[in-house]
């Protein structure tokens, strides 16, 4: 499992063999069953988690009980309620497994130590955070300016590997669309061939 994380890191920065070995001491392996929670809103997010295998969703629940998907995390993705993790305050997000999932997890204390002991990891995470900000900005623009069909097409093209693994109602929630709208779009696209 650790090889997946090392490969992900090496796609962004260079690691020496010594750093690769040392890096392992900062992480613990956790397994979740389908529908098992990694984080409940109101609890403090104690770990930053890297998905080695499986699929999770991050979401908040509105006052009417509706789920609003913030993100999906699959193999090679990081997930947490980052504000809760960094500030050690109550989380506003829930995170649960859509499939049986294996995670490598790092605590805040180990995260801070990691940055000091393996400085290249500071650069690695900076690259991830920059990419995340760009993605969130783009998602906001798309949310406000794309049609429902354009939103679905964009999502399906960028996530062609995992779209079959995510229930349609959750895709609709992520895109800010009604499930019926996603069904109608899918039917229209199937008819087009």
């Amino acid at each position: 499992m650790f090889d997946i994380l090392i490969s992900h890191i090496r796609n962004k920065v260079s690691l020496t063999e010594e750093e690769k070995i040392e890096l392992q001491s900062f992480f613990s392996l956790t397994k979740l069953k389908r529908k098992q929670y990694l984080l409940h809103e109101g609890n403090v997010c104690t770990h930053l988690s890297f998905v080695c295998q499986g699929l999770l969703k991050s979401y908040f629940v509105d006052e009417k009980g509706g789920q609003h998907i913030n993100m999906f995390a699959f193999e090679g993705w990081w997930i947490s309620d980052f504000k809760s993790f960094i500030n050690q305050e109550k989380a506003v997000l829930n995170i649960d497994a859509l499939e049986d999932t294996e995670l490598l997890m790092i605590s805040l204390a180990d995260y801070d130590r990691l940055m000091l002991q393996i400085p290249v990891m500071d650069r690695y995470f900076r690259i991830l955070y920059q990419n995340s900000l760009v993605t969130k900005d783009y998602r906001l623009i798309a949310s406000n300016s794309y049609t429902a069909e354009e939103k679905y097409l964009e999502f399906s093209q960028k996530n062609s590997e995992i779209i079959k693994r995510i229930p349609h109602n959750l895709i609709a929630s992520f895109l800010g669309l009604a499930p019926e709208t996603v069904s109608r779009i899918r039917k229209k696209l199937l008819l087009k061939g």
Side-chain angles (χ1 to χ4, degrees), residues 72-187:
F72 298 105
F74 51 96
E75 295 83 5
W77 283 63
W78 290 92
I79 192 165
S80 75
D81 181 320
F82 199 67
K83 184 176 185 231
S84 174
F85 175 70
I86 291 298
N87 296 327
Q88 291 297 280
E89 61 187 39
K90 290 181 180 180
V92 296
L93 297 173
N94 295 286
I95 301 172
D96 64 41
L98 293 171
E99 301 173 350
D100 289 352
T101 301
E102 294 185 4
L103 304 162
L104 286 171
M105 300 174 67
I106 186 167
S107 69
L108 182 59
D110 283 338
Y111 175 83
D112 290 338
R113 258 185 343 105
L114 174 66
M115 299 303 171
L116 295 173
Q117 287 182 229
I118 308 177
V120 71
M121 290 303 294
D122 190 63
R123 177 168 164 66
Y124 166 76
F125 279 107
R126 183 175 52 79
I127 291 168
L128 291 184
Y129 302 144
Q130 287 172 339
N131 291 342
S132 178
L133 284 172
V134 168
T135 300
K136 285 186 187 246
D137 283 348
Y138 185 77
R139 183 171 173 212
L140 182 61
I141 291 166
S143 175
N144 290 320
S145 61
Y146 283 21
T147 66
E149 188 170 328
E150 288 169 335
K151 289 178 190 178
Y152 182 81
L153 285 170
E154 176 89 6
F155 179 80
S156 63
Q157 289 167 355
K158 286 187 174 182
N159 299 285
S160 59
E161 296 296 314
I162 64 151
I163 196 164
K164 294 177 184 100
R165 295 164 59 185
I166 303 171
H168 300 264
N169 64 315
L170 299 181
I171 293 170
S173 173
F174 177 76
L175 297 174
L177 303 172
E180 303 79 32
T181 302
V182 169
S183 292
R184 190 172 59 250
I185 292 167
R186 286 178 40 79
K187 188 175 183 178

Side-chain angles (χ1 to χ4, degrees), residues 35-47:
K35 295 188 178 183
Q36 186 176 353
Y37 278 82
L38 177 64
L39 177 67
H40 285 277
E41 91 180 81
N43 293 342
V44 174
C45 183
T46 58
H47 290 81

Side-chain angles (χ1 to χ4, degrees), residues 6 8 30 34 55 61 63 78 81 109 113 129 136 156:
I6 294 298
H8 191 270
T30 298
R34 183 177 177 269
L55 177 63
V61 178
E63 61 281 346
W78 290 92
D81 181 320
R113 258 185 343 105
Y129 302 144
K136 285 186 187 246
S156 63

